[in-house]
Amino acid sequence: MKFGSTESYVASDDLALAVNAAVRLERPLLVKGEPGTGKTELARQVAQALGLPLIEWHVKSTTKAQQGLYEYDAVSRLRDSQLGDTRVHEVRNYIRKGKLWQAFEAEGRVVLLIDEIDKADIEFPNDLLQELDRMEFHVYETGETVRARHRPVVIITSNNEKELPDAFLRRCFFHYIRFPDADTLAAIVRVHFPDIKDQLLTAALTRFYEIRDVPGLKKKPSTSEVLDWLRLLLAEDLAPEDLRGDSRNALPRLHGALLKNEQDVQLFERLAFMSRGQR
């Protein structure tokens, strides 16, 4: 079964092609793009479309690659030995399986999401090279080698916060999710708000793209933010006329859903002030 757009997710042709190519090549799919463009949701939709379980590994700044394989809890074993617990004689009792181990030992094929890999230390991707390439790893405490029963579909996301090593990139199929054009974004909106009126949708998206195009914007609003904004517009029952005006300069209605830092709010306030001064 091939991946494509679903009832709840609009996938561009090139994104669907990238997913299906990575599945066929049995390579990890590295997906980059602006925050909020649906990279994490992509993995969930791929799992749903292919009928496979999903295992999610959300990477943080403190995450180490070893945690994806397993962790040996030596402290608990030492404590149990002091208490005379018989569990200490079996080292397996103190090994916690990581997300890769769970994916490798699954009885069937799964989708493994490694989310926001660029948050971790620069060595994190390199530390996973062999495991993702050979689909196996060694457990030193028990002397066993864990091999994947079925090669998982691996989807790796990155917000481009730091460069990834070339050796890691060579092992991946790469796709950059471009910000959707107006027609694609309208289709995405209709998935979430099927009853939205055409005039309001057109006015809102026109306003939204004007906001994204303002020079000097520190953080451009993303797909997830325009969906939040539209949810508020519908809840407030605003009309298309409420979104118009001097759209390039004035603060947008309910701007807190779109502008996420004080610099961008101040930018719009300055533009509004300059616009008033020129009248």
Side-chain angles (χ1 to χ4, degrees), residues 187-231:
I188 293 172
V189 169
R190 290 198 178 280
V191 166
H192 295 269
F193 308 106
D195 298 327
I196 190 170
K197 295 180 180 179
D198 291 341
Q199 289 184 331
L200 178 61
L201 177 59
T202 299
L205 293 188
T206 299
R207 186 76 176 96
F208 173 73
Y209 278 103
E210 289 172 347
I211 293 168
R212 277 184 58 89
D213 290 340
V214 169
L217 205 61
K218 184 176 181 181
K219 183 194 179 302
K220 295 183 178 182
S222 66
T223 307
S224 62
E225 287 155 350
V226 73
L227 293 176
D228 288 343
W229 187 50
L230 282 166
R231 185 174 290 110

Side-chain angles (χ1 to χ4, degrees), residues 45-250:
Q45 294 296 326
V46 169
Q48 181 178 334
L50 301 182
L52 301 177
L54 174 65
I55 296 177
E56 301 186 31
W57 183 14
H58 298 284
V59 177
K60 301 178 181 179
S61 59
T62 56
T63 303
K64 302 298 181 184
Q66 180 65 31
Q67 294 173 298
L69 308 179
Y70 68 93
E71 292 182 277
Y72 171 54
D73 191 354
V75 174
S76 292
R77 193 180 188 193
L78 175 60
R79 183 194 62 227
D80 288 348
S81 68
Q82 294 170 339
L83 297 174
D85 195 323
T86 57
R87 296 175 68 250
V88 299
H89 301 299
E90 179 53 69
V91 68
R92 295 177 187 274
N93 292 328
Y94 301 93
I95 290 180
R96 300 173 183 172
K97 297 177 181 179
K99 298 297 185 180
L100 264 72
W101 191 330
Q102 295 173 29
F104 285 4
E105 73 172 3
E107 294 185 0
R109 201 175 192 189
V110 302
V111 174
L112 172 62
L113 167 65
I114 305 177
D115 197 31
E116 298 189 333
I117 194 172
D118 53 326
K119 278 189 176 180
D121 185 84
I122 189 61
E123 292 303 320
F124 181 92
N126 279 334
D127 291 341
L128 290 178
L129 285 180
Q130 180 170 309
E131 289 75 15
L132 291 177
D133 204 22
R134 298 184 180 181
M135 286 289 146
E136 65 178 37
F137 62 89
H138 187 70
V139 183
Y140 295 98
E141 288 77 9
T142 64
E144 67 179 310
T145 298
V146 177
R147 296 184 176 88
R149 296 182 183 180
H150 307 273
R151 194 176 190 98
V153 177
V154 181
I155 297 179
I156 304 169
T157 72
S158 169
N159 288 329
N160 238 358
E161 292 183 5
K162 63 170 68 80
E163 290 295 324
L164 299 175
D166 289 343
F168 180 79
L169 295 175
R170 284 197 300 271
R171 288 165 169 80
C172 298
F173 191 95
F174 173 75
H175 181 75
Y176 183 85
I177 298 182
R178 295 181 178 86
F179 194 83
D181 58 27
D183 290 339
T184 304
L185 187 55
I188 293 172
V189 169
R190 290 198 178 280
V191 166
H192 295 269
F193 308 106
D195 298 327
I196 190 170
K197 295 180 180 179
D198 291 341
Q199 289 184 331
L200 178 61
L201 177 59
T202 299
L205 293 188
T206 299
R207 186 76 176 96
F208 173 73
Y209 278 103
E210 289 172 347
I211 293 168
R212 277 184 58 89
D213 290 340
V214 169
L217 205 61
K218 184 176 181 181
K219 183 194 179 302
K220 295 183 178 182
S222 66
T223 307
S224 62
E225 287 155 350
V226 73
L227 293 176
D228 288 343
W229 187 50
L230 282 166
R231 185 174 290 110
L232 292 174
L233 296 182
L234 291 170
E236 294 292 328
D237 196 24
L238 295 181
E241 301 77 40
D242 297 323
L243 306 180
R244 294 172 187 153
D246 192 355
S247 57
R248 289 194 176 275
N249 295 323

Side-chain angles (χ1 to χ4, degrees), residues 257-270:
L258 298 174
L259 305 178
K260 299 297 185 175
N261 58 70
E262 64 277 13
Q263 294 97 320
D264 289 341
V265 172
Q266 291 169 2
L267 171 63
F268 274 82
E269 289 174 341
R270 287 197 302 270

